[in-house]
Amino acid sequence: AVMCCEGCLLFLWIDLITTYAVGTPEMLYELTKIPHLVGGTFFLSGIYLAWFQLINADSEKLNDNNVHYLWASIDAVTGLGIEKASYVGSLMYLLGAVLYTIAQVADFWEL
């Protein structure tokens, strides 16, 4: 949650700079594009940590060093009392954050 909050604060920085900053276009580019990418990366990290917590909800398997990093069986997760909608929704949120970060990186190059 802290990583998501830091990402949101960096997104607010961009609005502050674009509203009140006076300077050259190159300066505005540097003051907005890099914080935008860093904020998106922080947000992606926070979403991934929430996903990591969801797919590793079974603490007994964690003690056996059976840690999932990207994927866990939906049956194993629903067996712990977690709804399928939570699993699918969290996965879609993570995929959306990954695609958003890819778009942010692609924005550094002009077409």
Side-chain angles (χ1 to χ4, degrees):
V2 172
M3 296 294 281
C4 290
C5 288
E6 290 176 1
C8 289
L9 287 175
L10 283 167
F11 289 149
L12 290 174
W13 165 263
I14 297 163
D15 289 335
L16 179 75
I17 292 298
T18 55
T19 303
Y20 297 110
V22 176
T24 64
E26 292 84 13
M27 184 181 78
L28 291 176
Y29 178 85
E30 292 294 327
L31 288 174
T32 57
K33 290 294 182 187
I34 294 176
H36 192 243
L37 176 63
V38 173
T41 305
F42 277 23
F43 206 72
L44 173 64
S45 300
I47 294 168
Y48 172 73
L49 290 174
W51 170 251
F52 184 79
Q53 183 179 6
L54 179 74
I55 63 175
N56 290 298
D58 190 3
S59 61
E60 291 178 8
K61 289 184 180 179
L62 287 177
N63 293 334
D64 297 335
N65 291 328
N66 188 10
V67 178
H68 302 285
Y69 292 101
L70 293 177
W71 190 261
S73 170
I74 194 166
D75 296 327
V77 174
T78 54
L80 298 170
I82 299 170
E83 296 290 327
K84 287 183 181 181
S86 295
Y87 182 84
V88 173
S90 295
L91 179 61
M92 292 299 113
Y93 196 42
L94 177 66
L95 290 176
V98 168
L99 292 175
Y100 185 75
T101 305
I102 290 170
Q104 286 177 315
V105 171
D107 191 37
F108 276 102
W109 294 279
E110 298 201 18
L111 301 175

